[in-house]
Amino acid sequence: MRISYNWLKQFIKIDWNSEDTSSLLTDLGLEVEGVDKFESLKGGLEGIVVGHVLTCEKHPDADKLKITTVDLGDGKEPVQIVCGAPNIAAGQKVPVATIGTKLYDKEGNAFEIKKGKIRGQESFGMICAEDELGLGEGHDGIMILNEDLKPGTLGKDVFDVETDEVFEIGLTPNRADAMSHFGVARDLKAGLALKDKIIELITPSVSNFKVDKRTLKVDVSVEDDKLAPRYCGVTISDITVKPSPSWLQNRLKAIGLTPKNNIVDVTNYVLHELGQPLHAFDANKIKGNKVIIKTVEAGTKFTTLDDVERTLDAEDLMICHADGPMCIAGVFGGKDSGVNENTTAIFLESAYFNPVSVRKTAKRHALNTDASFRFERGIDPTITSYALKRAALLIQEVAGGEITSDIVDIYPKKIEDFQVFLNFEKVTKVIGEELPKEIIKKILVSLDIKVTNVTEAGLGLVIPSYRVDVQREIDVIEEILRVYGYNNIKFTEKLNATIANSSRTEEYKVQNIVANQLCSLGFNEMMANSLTTPNYIKLSENLKEEFNVIMLNPLSNDLSAMRQSMLFSGLEAISFNINRKRGDLKLFEFGKTYHNLPSGYEENKHLTLFVTGNRTEENWVQTQQKSDFFLFKGYINSILSRVGLDSKISSLPVENDIFSEGISLAIGKEVIVEFGTVKKSFLKHFDIKQEVLYADINWGKIQKYVSNKIKFTDIPKYPEVRRDLALLLNNATTFEEVYKIAKQTEKKLLKDINLFDVYQGKNLPEGKKSYAVSFIIQDENKTLNDKEIEKIMSKLQTNFENQLGASLR
């Protein structure tokens, strides 16, 4: 939110510099994020002075140029300036850009006036035209100023250039009361009062408001006073729509608004002045001379000011005339009822609309206007009529015209102020320091909070209805602390701490162990948004549209559903990094998926892993190697081993359609891990052109099998023995089958089995391959002899021959 300091000073007479005022506003909770300088003319006409042309002669070497001598009023000798304007003449008072002055073109680019030679004649400045100073479009000749002006008079004094300082305030959503210059001034007054600077708040007078004649009456009907608790309107006739005067344009430009015309500019001015949104309808376009505030039939088409046809909802509150809607109440005007250059009479609206209704309508139509921003947070219902009078008087000032109707004010049920009892003991307990009771009262009074009852225990308070964020005792305490100043609260040097005994401690202990292990393997943890686009489910047949958990009030269409799979958010992150030249990635994420199942809503926790690109960074010691399926499988096995589940795991074919090749790992019949290579069709959707390996570990199921008991065994005293076999096998045989047969053959002494070479090619029978497998054998109670070892190896060989049809090479 942008606040003009000059505008603010119209409400509160303060002589502080902008830095001190910024500091106080920030202490009051209106954090000033920056202060910008505003100039109604770029450069502020610095270096421009009034010059008196003493002589004017033809240039000896150019027909269209003239040599002038100009008195700049600085007490020095007149300067020579070469000028090409056809209307230059001796005796004129003209604007002169002196040496070093910066002028700006229409795009805001600066050029500096320097001493130079034009066709051999020296020139010490430039006599300016309108467009060169930014004062107009004229370039037919130089500007001729009033003869009464003295040479040396500054240009910014002649043309009344306005300079201003503009505060950029990071307003929190709860502070609806401060969404205007008046609201900020009100807060500033409270802050100054605590510093014993009692300054009166000045409000614009509307005492001159009067009905000139009653010739244009517009009837108003409110069909639902819950959606429109208060509605005011008045007609103004015989107006002239034209550009606003410079003072009004400068006020709007300072806060970043582009002036439109005098009527629209006044409504915007009052909006930012008092915080009350207004809307002006062309009175001649109100059919039946009647305004009806109501909802319309769902599906009704309505074209707004931005020339977009919108489909209305049955809950959208509309401002209508006899033949249909004119405006989306509190949000956006209609194309066919707005003010234009041909408008001669208006119906001016000032209202208080239900905040929830406005918020839903604005979100439904993806509209965010200055009016809806204020209505949906809650404006002041007590100033509706006052703001209408203020705007009407300003319109008469800048557009002429007469007030041609009484004010219609439909307010069937007054919105009451809030009543709260403030306990002094509670104030001390929350703030952590006992504030003097007189200070508390002083702060409350400065915030327009009335003290109706005083006891030893506390205060009975009446809080203005515009303070929608202050309805409870704790809210009042927050207001006291905000104005008193957080920085003024003393802190002790003692630090108290407690340790919570949470039932989730063990789960997070295991999670941290696994996370640390993954980090040691070179992984980086990521955290993606649980909100995603519902369109992703169309990529996989395993995901069902009816299982989507849809947001009722989404921030955007791309964030309108809770994710059913963690794959897509990971691919988004990979695509983002690849596009920024970071293609070697190892990522993991602990997160949840969400489903709307027939049995009810369900959320499940997962651990997902993503690997893509090269194994290590490029270096001269070793050649680059791509991360592959078997490396990825090793990462997953290391996780399962770390949590003590590796011995319980069996492999199954993967049934998920996201993998081109993959494996499921299960405990019994319950699948706990799915991993593999992501299909290219999925990668293409995210514009990823390199292989991506993905694992989905069901963390909730993992937790059921993780044991917190740690078993210790002594390091064996006796040596282990290694024996190798080169097995000739069918191509369809897997190492897993070899592994299982070996384990079943010798459960006690066989400690490890490893595949260290695979060969397929010439010199082997067709349909065969060679596995080189090592076997580690060890007895923890004695040293094995050759006879015992050979017996074990013989059993292994026999079982491989019988069950797999293997033979030794």
Side-chain angles (χ1 to χ4, degrees), residues 193-194 196 424 434-446 451 454 459 480 484:
L194 198 66
D196 294 326
F424 290 132
E434 185 175 358
L435 302 184
K437 294 178 182 178
E438 290 306 313
I439 291 290
I440 293 175
K441 292 179 188 176
K442 187 175 183 179
I443 291 173
L444 293 173
V445 171
S446 72
V451 179
V454 181
L459 303 172
I480 294 170
Y484 183 75

Side-chain angles (χ1 to χ4, degrees), residues 182 184 284 338 564 596 639:
F182 180 67
V184 173
N284 295 321
Q564 287 194 45
N596 182 11
I639 295 172

Side-chain angles (χ1 to χ4, degrees), residues 118-190:
I118 301 176
R119 293 289 183 93
Q121 296 293 324
E122 288 186 321
S123 184
F124 296 89
M126 183 173 107
I127 302 173
C128 301
E130 276 187 2
D131 63 335
E132 291 165 337
L133 297 178
L135 294 169
E137 300 295 327
H139 194 71
D140 296 336
I142 50 95
M143 291 185 72
I144 300 174
L145 305 179
N146 193 311
E147 292 183 0
D148 296 335
L149 291 173
K150 292 182 179 180
T153 304
L154 298 180
K156 60 183 178 180
D157 295 333
V158 175
F159 299 106
D160 194 23
V161 176
E162 180 169 350
T163 59
D164 197 358
E165 292 174 293
V166 182
F167 303 118
E168 186 68 47
I169 295 179
L171 193 67
T172 53
N174 63 309
R175 291 302 308 277
D177 63 295
M179 290 189 294
S180 65
H181 286 75
F182 180 67
V184 173
R186 191 164 47 199
D187 244 28
L188 196 57
K189 170 179 171 285

Side-chain angles (χ1 to χ4, degrees), residues 232-467:
C232 297
V234 71
T235 63
I236 308 173
S237 302
D238 299 326
I239 60 170
T240 303
V241 179
K242 59 184 178 180
S244 298
S246 59
W247 71 265
L248 179 52
Q249 292 197 34
N250 288 338
R251 284 283 180 266
L252 298 179
K253 287 177 181 177
I255 60 173
L257 296 182
T258 302
K260 304 291 184 185
N261 59 55
N262 49 3
I263 305 301
V264 175
D265 291 350
V266 165
T267 61
N268 284 330
Y269 181 86
V270 175
L271 167 74
H272 289 276
E273 179 185 52
L274 302 176
Q276 171 65 54
L278 303 162
H279 191 77
F281 299 92
D282 189 324
N284 295 321
K285 297 176 182 177
I286 301 176
K287 296 179 181 179
N289 269 10
K290 186 170 185 179
V291 169
I292 310 162
I293 298 89
K294 64 177 182 177
T295 56
V296 296
E297 186 177 345
T300 301
K301 302 297 182 182
F302 178 67
T303 304
T304 45
L305 282 169
D306 55 0
D307 209 26
V308 174
E309 185 179 73
R310 304 180 188 276
T311 302
L312 300 178
D313 187 87
E315 293 185 358
D316 292 336
L317 185 65
M318 305 297 296
I319 311 300
C320 305
H321 53 44
D323 287 352
M326 298 188 295
C327 172
I328 303 176
V331 181
F332 209 26
K335 179 183 178 182
D336 298 329
S337 63
V339 173
N340 57 42
E341 64 275 6
N342 299 318
T343 300
T344 58
I346 62 170
F347 174 75
L348 188 62
E349 166 196 280
S350 177
Y352 178 89
F353 296 118
N354 182 283
V356 175
S357 173
V358 173
R359 187 182 305 119
K360 287 182 177 179
T361 296
K363 292 294 183 184
R364 192 178 294 121
H365 296 288
L367 289 169
N368 184 21
T369 62
D370 281 341
S372 68
F373 182 80
R374 285 159 177 79
F375 275 127
E376 64 189 46
R377 284 161 177 79
I379 61 171
D380 185 356
T382 65
I383 68 166
T384 311
S385 178
Y386 168 74
L388 186 68
K389 292 178 182 179
R390 168 67 170 159
L393 289 172
L394 284 173
I395 288 173
Q396 284 188 296
E397 179 184 334
V398 301
E402 296 177 312
I403 309 295
T404 50
S405 75
D406 292 309
I407 288 180
V408 176
D409 189 356
I410 301 175
Y411 195 17
K413 185 179 180 181
K414 184 182 177 182
I415 298 174
E416 299 294 338
D417 293 336
F418 311 111
Q419 295 192 7
V420 171
F421 182 79
L422 179 68
N423 187 290
F424 290 132
E425 188 176 336
K426 182 71 175 291
V427 175
T428 302
K429 184 178 180 181
V430 172
I431 292 178
E433 181 178 321
E434 185 175 358
L435 302 184
K437 294 178 182 178
E438 290 306 313
I439 291 290
I440 293 175
K441 292 179 188 176
K442 187 175 183 179
I443 291 173
L444 293 173
V445 171
S446 72
L447 291 169
D448 294 336
I449 297 175
K450 298 176 183 177
V451 179
T452 58
N453 186 26
V454 181
T455 67
E456 284 298 317
L459 303 172
L461 306 174
V462 175
I463 300 162
S465 55
Y466 66 80
R467 289 309 306 268

